[in-house]
């Protein structure tokens, strides 16, 4: 029953007529069946107008039945799941589907922008190119017009909301990957699978079988569809074969890696909670069989874009696969035999085949004779030169190709066109195998393989079913054999009727009609006409790559699947050269558009990268800290006392309390590298600028590392725990890189050194305790004497923390400039020891301090950190020149002595305070001379501010910066300039050691 | 997406490695002069064809290895430890 679906044909198609599905298109309700695509359901309902064209807003209808569709782009679903630019020809229908047309306003029939057709001559090819590149580029005028152009030259609009769906990642290995599940792919998979190879077969559609579902064939005693079902059953029974439908192999990469996206739930009304929307597959295959089929090419003639003009093979697909007859009266326009099948299938489905218009002069074949025998008019040596109708096709004008254009009119509501089939060489071309033009077949064939791959069937230019089946079998057998699998018995292929088609003849562009010069579209999606190609040629564009960019030919979401070759051929004709001389366009992944969400997979939002947490993380959270990311780590930035306490109030309070009594800070994130071996001392001597060989056991030393080019790389404290045992600390930011560098030196440069290194960052919780009362607090939990004599500044050693069960390492080192300790305990005890220190410090009002106070205290002390170690500073720039040992070579020493790195004019570390004692000196500010304040810009920039904070002791904002002349300018007033915010702040240059410059507190 | 034969772990995906630069560069003696260090730090060939480079098996054994890769075809020609003999790649699952 066709019911309210006027174009549905009884008893045709592979749709589920017992499962009607309701859907809406532009708000109007329709019914289709399970197994329909949106396009087949619309055609069944007699909807011909489905979109407006990109540039001229011309009415457009469904053009194809597959991924090559240039016209029928729609938005699917609503709300956050709204997906624009979806091809209706591959969108599976589900109950409740909501679809909308695009690129029209206010609706498809009354589209204001279609006026563009009237002004089309003002926006020829190259309009965008010229406007972008021309004198108006980047001007206000262009920006104004750009908005209007973007709206009218529109694609669909995205939802603007976050993608609510889930995506997954899959990895698979196999002997033979078969891409494409048509006759060739099924035949290949069966041959390889029966030989025992591990086979994966993927197909982009929901239904295996390819053209066997869309054409009428006999294979042995079976229909094409029955053979498909039988073969699927055989494949499913093989334990080493896996079949994946709705899976598009979009890219062919190095190492025989194939990327594919499986659409798991796109065809379902609601996403099931246990399934992702899509899966991103990475297949590693020993052998790949490209059974990717071919794409039918259109013909180019006047007004060739009206709704009702469709590829001939697509018409057969709608009839045989979907049970839809897209028109009652069909004209077939072709340059090859294959389209004659369309005439027969239309008649078989109850329609009329008005005529076959064949561009060839005198083609002879049994198929043509058979068609004539059915009473179909065959006009050879003819072409369609113009069409009539507006929202749907009403008639075509047909004229002899060599005549004067005098035409006869044929009334019809369907024009099925075929310019021959182009093998889908995309994937093989992606590997660098350049497609080869075949003059006899008028198509590109896959180039010589550069990888372990082989094309099979139509993808290899084999267009008769017998050839496709035997080619698939041969390729499958061969691929299995190459992976060590073969069958010891002979396989007999099913009998298929022989076909002897007459050769096709190229017809790249039909002649103009006797009067008028209608537009002939080459690229429907981008509205590029044959005249546009001619214009590009006249303006001197000779390469196909230039042609593409100038005219936008092939630049749409369909990537020119039905337009690149025609464009190329017209260009070649204009240049009077053969097609291969003009070139092929380069195919790049993806083969069809893929959702960005699928690329991200599960790595989105917080899951984009791992988060590292210290063992004391929960304590900080319970205390209500504000977090700040430091590399992959979460670190407490500050601990607000009340919700109203600002960041500055909090860090100033934390600084004050630490300097007055005692503060505690989580420093687990610093890199910790365990270094052991008889040559450990020699190793450290090479990588650090200062000496470590003579460091006594039980002592720590601040070390400085340079890059090989002589700039400062990293700093940290390294302690000698035993004769051949050190532990190095690095900055949080460089922990990973320093570790890799040390491994590189040991493995690749100095393999003779007997040293092993291992990162122990995550094995130890590290807690810093700073302030005049830190000794009293620490002494309560450790079992060694902390008196200044017994454990002086820079001492280190083993101890127990809290109980004899917890072995700890204690270091008397200081970043804050106060009397301070750092204790390392095994990570599992971190929280326990932290709690013990909080208890022990309660009587002294112990304060936890975060990264902000930590930074503030180091600025008060003039210690450099990441902001100063920016890869452009030398040791001398930072006031650390004394750390470059003259006694020994070390990494970076030679190049650090270059004139450019030792010039007296270099910027050097200074301290800065605002003259008014109030205004903060923003990081990133430039420093200029006070005298240059009112001079015309630009003026000389003599330095910059790198870090800033507030010193409670000095009661003023402070900053560190790099300034030409450095401390020679101590006492001078300079201008800190931040023009973006119009800030010009006079500041005094001073010694960067703002607090306790003599370092008395360290030794307290 | 390459696969390398790590001499310590076997055939592995490139995602386990991080690139470490031109392995034809010989790091000079620390005491070497400016010219030798300048060449080692700044001078690089940009070959079209086989090229030996360092890769660090960071998500594996943490060993630095050397890989001979054709920069034109991305074919992996040989792999070996940071120092010592390189072994030709046997093909595995293709170039
Ligand atoms: Zn390894």
């Amino acid at each position: 029953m066709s019911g309210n679906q006027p174009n549905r044909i009884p008893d045709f198609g592979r749709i589920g007529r017992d499962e009607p599905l309701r859907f809406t298109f532009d708000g109007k309700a329709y019914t289709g069946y399970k197994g329909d695509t949106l396009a087949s359901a619309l055609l069944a309902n007699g909807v011909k107008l489905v979109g407006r064209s990109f540039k001229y807003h011309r009415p457009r209808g469904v053009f194809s039945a597959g991924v090559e569709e240039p016209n029928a782009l729609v938005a699917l679903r609503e709300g956050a799941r709204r997906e624009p630019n979806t091809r209706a020809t591959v969108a599976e229908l589900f109950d409740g589907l909501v679809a909308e047309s695009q690129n029209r306003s206010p609706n498809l029939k009354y589209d204001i922008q279609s006026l563009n057709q009237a002004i089309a001559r003002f926006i020829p090819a190259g309009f965008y190119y010229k406007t972008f590149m021309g004198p108006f580029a980047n001007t206000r005028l262009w920006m104004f017009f750009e908005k209007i152009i973007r709206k009218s030259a529109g694609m669909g609009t995205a939802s603007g909301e976050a993608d609510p769906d889930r995506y997954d990642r899959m990895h698979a290995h196999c002997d033979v990957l078969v891409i494409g599940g048509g006759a060739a792919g099924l035949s290949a998979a069966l041959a390889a699978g029966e030989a025992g190879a591990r086979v994966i077969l993927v197909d982009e559609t929901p239904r295996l079988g390819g053209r066997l579902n869309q054409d009428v064939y006999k294979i042995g005693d079976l229909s094409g569809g029955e053979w498909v079902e039988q073969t699927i059953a055989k494949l499913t029974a093989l334990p080493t074969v896996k079949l994946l439908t709705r899976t598009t192999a979009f890219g062919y990469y190095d190492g025989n890696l194939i990327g594919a996206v499986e659409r798991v739930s796109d065809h379902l009304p609601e996403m099931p909670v246990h399934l992702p929307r899509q899966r991103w597959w990475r297949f590693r295959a020993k052998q790949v069989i490209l059974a990717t089929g071919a794409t039918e090419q259109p013909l180019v003639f006047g007004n060739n874009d009206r709704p009702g003009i469709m590829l001939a093979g697509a018409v057969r697909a709608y009839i045989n696969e979907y049970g839809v007859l897209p028109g009652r009266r069909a004209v077939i326009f072709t340059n090859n035999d294959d389209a004659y099948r369309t005439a027969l299938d239309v008649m078989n489905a109850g329609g009329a085949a008005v005529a076959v218009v064949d561009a060839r002069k005198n083609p002879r074949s049994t198929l043509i004779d058979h068609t004539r025998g059915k009473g179909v008019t065959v006009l050879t040596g003819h072409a369609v030169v113009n069409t009539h109708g507006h929202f749907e096709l009403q008639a075509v004008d047909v004229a002899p190709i060599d005549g004067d254009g005098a035409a006869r009119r044929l009334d019809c509501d369907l024009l099925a066109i075929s310019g021959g089939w182009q093998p889908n060489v995309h994937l093989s071309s992606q590997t660098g195998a350049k497609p080869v033009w075949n003059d006899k077949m008028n198509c590109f064939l896959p180039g010589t393989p550069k990888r372990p791959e082989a094309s099979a069937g139509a993808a290899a230019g084999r267009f008769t079913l017998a050839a496709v089946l035997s080619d698939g079998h041969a390729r499958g057998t061969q691929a299995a054999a190459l992976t060590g699998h073969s069958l010891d018995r002979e396989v007999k292929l099913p009998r298929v009727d022989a076909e002897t088609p007459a050769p096709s003849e190229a017809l790249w562009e039909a002649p103009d009609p006797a009067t008028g010069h209608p537009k002939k579209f080459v690229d429907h999606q981008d509205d590029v006409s044959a005249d546009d190609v001619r214009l590009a040629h006249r303006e001197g564009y000779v390469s196909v790559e230039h042609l593409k960019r100038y005219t936008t030919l092939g630049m749409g979401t369909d990537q020119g699947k039905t337009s690149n070759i025609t464009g190329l051929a017209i260009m070649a004709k204009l240049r009077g050269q053969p097609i291969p001389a003009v070139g092929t366009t380069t195919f790049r992944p993806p083969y069809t558009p893929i959702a960005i969400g699928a690329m991200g997979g599960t790595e989105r939002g917080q899951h984009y990268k791992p988060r590292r947490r210290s063992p004391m993380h929960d304590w900080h959270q319970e205390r209500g800290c504000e977090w700040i990311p430091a590399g992959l780590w979460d670190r407490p930035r500050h601990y607000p006392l009340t919700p109203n306490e600002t960041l500055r109030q909090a860090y100033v309070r934390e600084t004050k309390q630490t300097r007055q009594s005692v503060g505690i800070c989580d420093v687990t994130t610093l890199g910790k590298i365990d270094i052991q071996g008889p040559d450990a001392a020699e190793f450290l001597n090479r990588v650090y600028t200062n000496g470590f060989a003579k460091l006594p056991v039980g002592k720590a030393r601040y070390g400085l590392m340079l890059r090989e080019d002589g700039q400062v790389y990293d700093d940290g404290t390294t302690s000698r725990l035993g004769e051949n045992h050190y532990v190095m600390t690095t900055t949080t930011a460089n922990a990973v890189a320093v570790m890799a560098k040390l491994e590189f030196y040991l493995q690749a440069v100095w393999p003779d050194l007997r040293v092993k290194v291992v990162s122990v960052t995550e094995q130890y919780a590290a807690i810093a305790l700073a302030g005049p009362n830190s000794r009293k607090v620490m002494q309560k939990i450790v079992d060694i004497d902390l008196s200044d004599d017994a454990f002086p500044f820079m001492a280190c050693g083993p101890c127990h923390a809290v109980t004899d069960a917890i072995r700890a390492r204690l270091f008397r080192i200081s970043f804050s400039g106060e009397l301070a300790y750092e204790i390392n305990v095994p990570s599992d005890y971190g929280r326990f020891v932290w709690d013990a220190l909080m208890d022990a410090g309660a009587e002294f009002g112990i304060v936890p301090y975060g990264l902000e106070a930590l930074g503030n205290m180091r600025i008060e002390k003039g210690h450099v950190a990441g902001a100063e170690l920016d890869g452009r500073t030398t040791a001398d720039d930072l006031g650390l020149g004394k750390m470059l040992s003259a006694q020994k070579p070390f990494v970076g020493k030679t190049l650090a002595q270059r004139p450019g790195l030792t010039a007296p004019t270099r910027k050097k570390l200074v301290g800065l305070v605002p003259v008014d004692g109030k205004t903060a000196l923003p990081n990133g500010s430039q420093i200029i001379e006070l005298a240059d304040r009112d001079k015309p810009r630009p003026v000389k920039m003599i330095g910059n501010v790198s870090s800033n904070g507030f010193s409670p002791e000095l009661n003023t904002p402070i900053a560190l910066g790099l300034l030409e002349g450095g401390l020679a300018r101590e006492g001078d007033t300079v201008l800190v300039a931040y023009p973006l915010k119009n800030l010009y702040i006079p500041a005094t240059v001073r010694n960067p050691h703002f607090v306790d410059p003599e370092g008395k507190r360290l030794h307290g | 997406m390459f696969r390398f034969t790590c001499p310590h772990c076997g055939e592995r995906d490139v995602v386990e490695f991080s690139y470490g630069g031109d392995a034809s560069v010989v790091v000079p003696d620390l005491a070497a002069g400016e010219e030798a260090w300048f060449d080692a730090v700044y001078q690089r060939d940009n070959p079209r064809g086989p090229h030996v480079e360092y890769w660090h098996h960071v998500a594996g054994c943490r060993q630095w290895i050397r890989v001979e890769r054709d920069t034109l075809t991305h074919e992996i020609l040989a792999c070996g430890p940071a120092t010592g003999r390189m072994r030709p790649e046997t093909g595995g699952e293709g170039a």
Side-chain angles (χ1 to χ4, degrees), chain A residues 9 314 340 389 484 527 530 591 602 816 883 894 958 984:
Chain A
I9 332 156
Y340 282 73
D527 267 355
Y591 172 62
T602 54
S816 58
M883 294 189 68
T894 303
I958 54 172
Y984 295 91

Side-chain angles (χ1 to χ4, degrees), chain A residues 254-255 257 284 743 747 894, chain B residues 1 13 32 56 62 64 74 95:
Chain A
D254 297 314
L257 176 86
R284 289 272 181 192
E743 287 171 319
Q747 295 167 21
T894 303
Chain B
M1 302 289 282
D13 195 285
H56 192 198
R62 288 204 67 92
W64 286 86
H74 284 183

Side-chain angles (χ1 to χ4, degrees), chain B:
Chain B
M1 302 289 282
F2 323 122
R3 282 166 78 82
F4 302 141
T5 304
C6 172
H8 316 287
C9 309
E11 194 183 336
R12 291 290 188 277
D13 195 285
V14 67
V15 298
E16 295 183 10
F17 297 81
S18 67
Y19 181 69
D22 187 341
S24 67
V25 173
V26 178
V27 178
D29 188 89
L30 289 182
E34 189 175 305
E35 202 160 315
W37 272 102
F38 181 85
D39 284 349
V41 171
Y42 294 107
Q43 301 286 30
R44 290 290 179 278
D45 290 331
N46 188 12
R48 182 176 188 269
H51 183 232
V52 184
E53 48 204 27
Y54 285 115
W55 289 79
H56 192 198
H57 200 180
V58 283
C61 60
R62 288 204 67 92
Q63 294 295 302
W64 286 86
I65 66 167
R66 282 174 308 152
V67 173
E68 188 177 17
R69 179 177 66 96
D70 189 312
T71 60
L72 190 66
T73 63
H74 284 183
E75 194 179 353
I76 307 300
L77 304 167
C79 296
T83 59
R85 211 165 67 81
M86 305 278 282
R87 275 174 193 280
E89 284 285 275
T90 48
E93 295 187 358

Side-chain angles (χ1 to χ4, degrees), chain A residues 134-176:
Chain A
F136 297 117
N138 299 319
T139 62
R140 272 172 200 278
L141 185 69
W142 165 243
M143 289 180 204
F144 173 75
F145 280 115
E146 190 190 16
K147 280 184 198 152
I148 296 170
I149 290 167
R150 287 216 185 278
K151 191 164 156 51
S152 73
M155 302 302 292
T157 48
S159 75
E161 292 172 55
D163 186 342
D165 292 320
R166 292 183 314 279
Y167 301 85
D168 208 351
R169 286 260 169 91
M170 305 291 280
H171 297 258
H173 294 250
C174 59
D175 294 321
V176 181

Side-chain angles (χ1 to χ4, degrees), chain A residues 14 64-66 68 180-186 203 205 207-219 223-225 227-228 291-296 311-322 338-339 341-342 345 421 424 458 462-463 465 468:
Chain A
R14 296 170 207 291
S64 74
E68 68 272 33
L186 289 171
D203 190 274
T205 70
R207 202 180 280 134
L208 294 175
R211 294 271 351 149
L212 291 178
N213 294 322
Q214 305 177 336
D215 277 320
V216 180
Y217 282 112
K218 271 268 178 218
I219 303 178
S223 72
W227 182 84
V228 170
T292 47
T295 301
E296 193 166 34
L311 292 169
V315 171
R316 301 200 298 280
Y318 287 115
I319 293 171
N320 297 312
E321 184 166 11
Y322 301 104
D338 188 61
R341 295 171 168 279
T342 307
D345 287 1
W421 292 78
N424 292 325
R462 292 181 170 81
F463 293 124
L465 182 57
V468 165

Side-chain angles (χ1 to χ4, degrees), chain A residues 718-907:
Chain A
T718 289
S719 307
R720 192 165 199 170
L721 301 177
E723 184 57 30
N724 296 328
H725 186 192
Y726 294 78
V727 63
M728 171 188 281
T729 64
T730 72
T731 60
T732 302
N734 282 335
V736 171
V738 168
M739 178 68 193
K741 194 80 191 173
L742 298 184
E743 287 171 319
F744 178 76
Y745 285 135
L746 287 172
Q747 295 167 21
V749 187
W750 308 315
D752 52 314
L753 288 184
R754 292 161 302 164
V755 181
K756 294 288 177 204
V757 292
V758 66
S759 168
V760 292
T761 305
E762 289 175 353
Q763 275 60 40
Y764 288 95
I767 303 167
L769 202 63
N773 286 320
S774 58
R775 177 183 288 128
K776 291 176 199 151
V777 176
M778 188 61 81
Q779 187 68 77
K780 287 203 218 173
I781 71 149
V782 297
D783 60 351
I784 57 172
D785 179 8
L786 296 189
S787 67
D788 200 46
D789 290 341
F791 203 74
F793 180 56
M794 296 309 265
C796 72
C799 63
H800 294 91
V802 194
T803 82
D804 285 349
I806 303 177
R807 291 166 55 164
R809 288 173 182 167
L810 191 66
F811 309 85
R812 189 172 155 190
I813 53 178
S814 177
F815 197 42
S816 58
E818 298 296 324
L819 170 68
Y821 300 87
E822 187 185 310
I823 190 165
N824 290 3
V825 297
S827 289
D828 287 350
Y829 297 116
R831 172 72 190 262
F832 179 74
V833 171
W834 178 280
D835 283 337
L837 282 167
M838 286 303 296
D839 287 346
E843 63 174 297
F844 304 101
I846 189 169
V847 65
Y849 62 95
L851 197 57
E852 209 70 36
L854 179 80
N856 194 45
M857 284 190 271
R858 70 98 187 162
I859 295 167
E860 284 190 308
K861 288 297 297 177
H863 290 322
V864 293
E868 289 78 31
L869 309 183
D870 65 358
R872 297 175 298 175
T873 45
T874 67
D876 199 44
D877 296 344
L878 302 175
L880 302 171
K882 289 195 299 280
M883 294 189 68
L884 306 185
S885 170
Q887 314 301 318
K888 54 149 197 162
F890 53 84
V891 171
K893 183 174 190 175
T894 303
L895 291 185
Q897 292 161 6
R898 283 180 289 167
L901 271 65
T902 51
T905 52
R906 288 183 65 86
K907 296 170 186 171

Side-chain angles (χ1 to χ4, degrees), chain A residues 471-489:
Chain A
D471 192 37
H473 180 82
R475 296 301 182 189
T477 305
Q478 183 186 37
L482 286 167
T483 62
H485 302 276
S486 50
L487 202 58
D488 48 12
R489 60 185 159 87

